Amino acid sequence: CSSQQTCEVQATVSSRVQANITSMLAPQANRTMALGKWEEYWQENMIGFHQPVVHKMLESNIDKVFAGRTGVRFFFPLCGKAVDMKWLADQGHSVVGVEISEMAVKQFFEENNMTYSEEPVPAIPGAKVFKSSEKNISLYQCDLYNFSSSIGGQFGAIWDRGSLVAINPKDREKYAALIISLMAKDCRYLLDTLLYNPELYPGPPFFVPDEQVQSLFGKSCDIELLQSVDVMEDMWRGWGLDFMTENVHLITPKSV
Ligand code: SAH
């Protein structure tokens, strides 16, 4: 800030913004889902989040992610068995995903008719990496927080759908720090968030307001809201919700 007075004004504004975010998040602040619960969901096939087709908002914004580049390294945090991974690999890009459920990883390869190899990851006890034999796709079966750039390198692009909105709300700062550490200088990070009234539904998926996207990533990155779509449908209505908006943000490291 330019003077002491400007500094004080900025500090007051930012503490008011933080207080506002905290109150918006209050209804879900202490919600947690154990990793074992996610694995149970896969075992019981309770995977309503899975979509059999490429995500529309990835497809419609993909040129802004590629930005003219070919052979981009894509990262998929909490990847599930998203068919988006195959779609990108088919276009000559490479994909690294992280997913706790081994069942999800195996289903991804099997349902897409890919053969794969399976090996341990020495740096992460108990983890395995599954690699497609034909396509450039490697899926790490482990807890996301055990993954790092020393294991997977840095990425030219990230597709975050069902990931920031799926992790436990209290872990968002830790998650953002990890994601930032995985971003190459030219990284283009496409983040999908959901807006709804968190008083009406406990999540997951959890509510992530734009103000928090700004506070998590705004210090080191530029953030552009690319799309905001009303996605209200009977499923959400059945959960007691009265509106549902899906936002897609493009996040890029600030150039120094
Ligand atoms: N992105 C996928 C899956 C979304 S659901 C899609 O859009 O279809 C969230 C997924 O994250 C689940 O498959 C769950 O098993 C996995 N998961 C949840 N917490 C995780 C963690 N800490 N580390 C790795 N995977 C996790």
Side-chain angles (χ1 to χ4, degrees):
C1 33
S2 52
S3 69
Q4 197 191 340
Q5 201 188 4
T6 333
C7 246
E8 279 163 16
V9 171
Q10 281 178 6
T12 317
V13 170
S14 95
S15 73
R16 270 198 212 133
V17 169
Q18 284 307 332
N20 183 34
I21 295 173
T22 306
S23 83
M24 280 193 280
L25 297 178
Q28 296 181 333
N30 299 315
R31 289 273 300 136
T32 54
M33 275 267 290
L35 280 182
K37 193 80 199 160
W38 284 107
E39 292 184 290
E40 240 175 81
Y41 280 175
W42 278 98
Q43 266 142 24
E44 288 161 17
N45 207 31
M46 288 167 63
I47 51 165
F49 50 79
H50 178 71
Q51 296 190 351
V53 292
V54 174
H55 197 286
K56 273 207 187 73
M57 291 165 91
L58 174 65
E59 213 170 351
S60 54
N61 293 293
I62 198 66
D63 288 341
K64 289 196 170 146
V65 178
F66 292 156
R69 299 170 301 168
T70 54
V72 178
R73 287 193 81 221
F74 269 82
F75 182 59
F76 276 63
L78 276 58
C79 60
K81 54 172 179 176
V83 298
D84 308 350
M85 298 193 280
K86 175 173 189 291
W87 182 68
L88 289 164
D90 283 344
Q91 298 174 64
H93 305 286
S94 61
V95 172
V96 172
V98 175
E99 167 59 51
I100 193 64
S101 163
E102 179 163 339
M103 196 166 206
V105 171
K106 288 186 167 166
Q107 282 181 14
F108 171 77
F109 289 117
E110 281 154 19
E111 289 172 10
N112 291 296
N113 300 313
M114 290 179 200
T115 54
Y116 58 90
S117 65
E118 181 180 333
E119 43 187 274
V121 183
I124 315 174
K128 288 185 213 161
V129 57
F130 294 77
K131 293 182 182 164
S132 157
S133 323
E134 307 90 11
K135 304 272 171 196
N136 218 327
I137 302 178
S138 300
L139 305 185
Y140 287 78
Q141 183 268 312
C142 64
D143 183 348
L144 177 75
Y145 304 111
N146 289 336
F147 188 80
S148 66
S149 60
S150 65
I151 291 159
Q154 287 185 317
F155 297 91
I158 301 172
W159 173 222
D160 184 324
R161 186 265 174 183
S163 186
L164 176 61
V165 299
I167 58 150
N168 295 326
K170 66 173 170 46
D171 292 332
R172 285 180 190 159
E173 278 79 16
K174 180 167 82 166
Y175 178 91
L178 171 62
I179 293 289
I180 290 168
S181 74
L182 294 171
M183 293 171 81
K185 278 201 185 72
D186 69 342
C187 186
R188 301 179 72 80
Y189 167 27
L190 201 61
L191 167 65
D192 183 292
T193 56
L194 296 170
L195 305 180
Y196 63 85
N197 180 352
E199 307 268 6
L200 300 179
Y201 181 72
F206 300 108
F207 159 66
V208 180
D210 290 356
E211 291 84 348
Q212 193 179 24
V213 173
Q214 191 64 46
S215 84
L216 289 172
F217 298 102
K219 254 206 186 109
S220 54
C221 300
D222 294 319
I223 303 167
E224 187 189 345
L225 178 63
L226 294 182
Q227 241 188 323
S228 186
V229 180
D230 174 359
V231 290
M232 192 56 183
E233 49 160 294
D234 286 344
M235 181 183 78
W236 307 118
R237 237 172 249 116
W239 295 3
L241 293 173
D242 51 0
F243 78 92
M244 178 61 77
T245 303
E246 191 167 357
N247 279 0
V248 167
H249 315 259
L250 181 66
I251 302 179
T252 51
K254 278 183 179 154
S255 40
V256 269

